[in-house]
Amino acid sequence: MAGVTDRDAVPFALASMRKQYRAEGLSESELAATPVEQFARWFKQAATDGGLFEPNAMVVSTADAEGRPSSRTVLLKHFDERGFVFYTNYGSRKGRELDANPYVSLLFPWHPMARQVIVTGTARRTGRDETAGYFRTRPHGSQLGAWASAQSSVVADRDALDAAYTALAARYPEGEQVPVPPHWGGFRVVPEAVEFWQGRENRLHDRLRYVARADGGWRVERLAP
């Protein structure tokens, strides 16, 4: 490739980089009745003895009205039978894309456990009361940050961002209530399918997927690895 020198070359043999997964398998008989119950089981393990830095970190993938995708890492802040909730600036790229195209994918990459969970569904904004309730639990600095950053927009430099934060910190000092930004809030991803991926030996992984039925129940199907 023109312009690439030996010094720039990747110092690893990428084609030979692989791990042999020797974890216990995942069978249909072991699954919970609903994907949220099964997710709760796996999440508890990931959060306690999974060796993960942020088990609630997930890759959120969206697409704009023309189908062009984008991905980023976001923290899951709540889940129950209604769906999976995260918070963001509604004017951010993901916020704008979800307004134009509500279909979304969530990926929990729990690599130390040789596990992944993939949620596909539609995103809906949470109510303002729910958003305010969560906003009040955020550290004071994070509350100010939600105001200081016009997420995904171009900024002149770091100094401009820091200056915006400093001005807000002077206006709302520690101990004073910060109003909830009208442009900031939650999305609840209502699942249509949830796949549980367990790494197995020889790349013959277990992939069990819950798919929503019209009657409100779930069917489970096994996918080839």
Side-chain angles (χ1 to χ4, degrees):
M1 181 183 298
V4 175
T5 67
D6 290 342
R7 185 180 62 187
D8 300 320
V10 176
F12 302 106
L14 292 178
S16 63
M17 291 181 69
R18 61 178 58 87
K19 295 291 185 181
Q20 184 70 284
Y21 303 132
R22 302 186 185 278
E24 293 288 332
L26 179 64
S27 68
E28 290 82 345
S29 62
E30 297 172 334
L31 292 179
T34 71
V36 172
E37 292 176 30
Q38 182 62 34
F39 181 84
R41 290 179 184 177
W42 272 23
F43 186 81
K44 181 178 180 180
Q45 294 173 2
T48 54
D49 56 5
L52 293 153
F53 173 60
E54 287 186 315
N56 60 327
M58 59 185 182
V59 178
V60 177
S61 297
T62 58
D64 63 17
E66 286 72 45
R68 293 171 295 193
S70 63
S71 299
R72 75 289 292 160
T73 301
V74 175
L75 296 179
L76 176 72
K77 287 301 177 180
H78 181 73
F79 69 90
D80 57 26
E81 293 295 340
R82 296 179 299 159
F84 300 79
V85 179
F86 66 91
Y87 292 86
T88 188
N89 186 314
Y90 288 138
S92 66
R93 179 172 180 175
K94 60 183 169 299
R96 297 194 309 270
E97 290 185 349
L98 288 173
D99 283 341
N101 176 3
Y103 295 104
V104 62
S105 173
L106 312 177
L107 168 64
F108 294 86
W110 294 335
H111 301 310
M113 305 175 70
R115 286 178 174 176
Q116 300 179 75
V117 180
I118 304 165
V119 180
T120 53
T122 54
R124 303 169 184 168
R125 290 191 182 191
T126 59
R128 293 310 294 173
D129 287 346
E130 185 174 356
T131 288
Y134 168 69
F135 187 79
R136 297 290 171 229
T137 70
R138 288 164 63 93
H140 182 74
S142 295
Q143 293 182 14
L144 296 178
W147 279 101
S149 174
Q151 195 174 69
S152 299
S153 64
V154 176
V155 295
D157 50 33
R158 177 73 197 197
D159 289 343
L161 189 62
D162 290 340
Y165 181 90
T166 299
L168 284 161
R171 183 176 181 183
Y172 300 106
E174 190 77 43
E176 185 168 334
Q177 181 168 290
V178 180
V180 182
H183 55 268
W184 187 94
F187 279 106
R188 172 171 284 103
V189 177
V190 181
E192 297 174 356
V194 184
E195 177 184 334
F196 293 85
W197 185 102
Q198 175 67 71
R200 296 291 302 278
E201 198 170 12
N202 300 317
R203 293 298 184 264
L204 294 178
H205 313 306
D206 286 324
R207 298 176 60 190
L208 298 181
R209 180 171 63 186
Y210 292 80
V211 180
R213 299 195 312 245
D215 63 4
W218 299 89
R219 77 170 189 273
V220 174
E221 53 193 20
R222 178 175 286 270
L223 305 177

